[in-house]
Amino acid sequence: MWKPRASKLYARRVLRTAKRNLLNLAFHRETHAKETPWAYRSFNEQEEFLSRVTRRITGKKGLGLSFASFCEQQARSGKSLRILEDGPGNGDLLVGLKRELNARRIKTETIGISLVRNPQLLSRVTNHEIDRVHWGIAERYVPRKPVDIILSIFGSLCHTFEEVKKDHLLKFAYSLRPGGGIMVISSGFSQQHAFRQNLRSAFEKRGFKAQFVPVGKTLCSGSETLVIQRLVTKH
């Protein structure tokens, strides 16, 4: 049975550090979301970009591996998958992935975390195109069950306070099932080598693998991908 003890621990640490600044954080994040409207692009645009990132991470060149195919490979026993998106915008990516994976007979549960009650996103939950959305500040949220894939593309993991960023990442990392992974695309990571090395070390000593992957100027200047994988423990 999954016990979200570590996830809840880091969620408490984030909230204790942020304290009364959460309302300011909400305003700050909503403003930046309007300046970086990635999550409001079409599914095809988002999936195409994520496919390029995935091929770079896996070392598979050319057009052989789409992001949907990568998700299919992550499915538990080839049958089911749980995907969480931090900042889903209109929900196009979650809706498209669920449709693609269901067509491949992968039972897919999709979950979003949204600060704003977007009417289109709300209707997609009502119409069962997305399974569930947590409305509110992502720093408060801990998944009910372990997650296979977490996506945060200019989401809260990009726009949270610097002093809680590592703990916020660790909260989500401990929400992964063994073998699961997080893909964070952000322009907010420090370019200092020492910071990046310390972040990688912090995850590796806890049983995760972390790597930074440049994504060029496709989204915004200086943005890059942080990929975190929860390693499978051998008994």
Side-chain angles (χ1 to χ4, degrees):
M1 181 183 294
W2 182 63
K3 298 180 180 179
R5 186 174 177 180
S7 298
K8 290 182 177 179
L9 169 66
Y10 283 103
R12 287 195 297 269
R13 287 179 59 167
V14 167
L15 294 174
R16 187 165 59 244
T17 302
K19 295 180 180 177
R20 296 181 180 179
N21 289 324
L22 287 176
L23 287 177
N24 292 333
L25 176 63
F27 175 77
H28 170 80
R29 185 171 301 151
E30 187 173 356
T31 301
H32 278 271
K34 293 174 182 176
E35 295 172 356
T36 314
W38 158 260
Y40 296 92
R41 296 187 183 186
S42 70
F43 168 69
N44 288 337
E45 289 179 293
Q46 296 185 67
E47 209 265 345
E48 180 184 355
F49 174 76
L50 292 173
S51 296
R52 291 202 297 271
V53 173
T54 300
R55 288 193 290 271
R56 178 172 290 189
I57 294 166
T58 59
K60 295 184 178 181
K61 307 298 182 182
L63 302 175
L65 183 67
S66 69
F67 185 69
S69 296
F70 172 76
C71 292
E72 183 179 9
Q73 293 175 6
Q74 294 293 107
R76 292 157 294 180
S77 304
K79 294 181 180 179
S80 62
L81 197 67
R82 187 173 294 116
I83 301 175
L84 170 67
E85 186 176 9
D86 169 32
N90 289 332
D92 283 347
L93 183 58
L94 287 178
V95 170
L97 286 174
K98 186 178 181 71
R99 182 177 60 245
E100 289 271 338
L101 291 165
N102 283 347
R104 303 178 191 210
R105 298 185 180 181
I106 304 295
K107 184 180 179 182
T108 305
E109 180 182 356
T110 50
I111 307 157
I113 309 172
S114 180
L115 180 63
V116 180
R117 283 187 173 267
N118 181 316
Q120 187 172 350
L121 185 62
L122 185 59
S123 71
R124 286 178 153 171
V125 176
T126 303
N127 295 331
H128 307 291
E129 295 176 279
I130 295 173
D131 294 290
R132 190 166 65 254
V133 172
H134 169 78
W135 306 101
I137 294 173
E139 283 79 358
R140 296 182 185 275
Y141 178 74
V142 175
R144 301 173 187 173
K145 298 178 181 179
V147 180
D148 299 285
I149 296 172
I150 298 175
L151 299 170
S152 181
I153 306 169
F154 299 111
S156 73
L157 289 168
C158 173
H159 296 306
T160 196
F161 297 128
E162 286 296 322
E163 59 266 34
V164 303
K165 188 165 286 185
K166 186 178 81 172
D167 285 342
H168 194 29
L169 277 164
L170 281 165
K171 177 195 73 174
F172 279 121
Y174 276 111
S175 300
L176 293 169
R177 68 157 177 85
I182 301 175
M183 185 181 290
V184 184
I185 298 176
S186 172
S187 58
F189 293 121
S190 171
Q191 297 300 311
Q192 296 180 359
H193 176 74
F195 171 85
R196 293 151 68 92
Q197 185 57 45
N198 287 339
L199 191 64
R200 280 192 291 262
S201 298
F203 281 96
E204 287 171 5
K205 73 180 183 181
R206 292 172 171 85
F208 301 92
K209 179 182 178 182
Q211 61 178 316
F212 288 92
V213 182
V215 297
K217 297 181 180 180
T218 306
L219 298 179
C220 105
S221 179
S223 60
E224 62 184 339
T225 305
L226 170 61
V227 178
I228 301 169
Q229 181 186 10
R230 186 166 195 173
L231 302 178
V232 178
T233 304
K234 295 182 179 179
H235 296 285

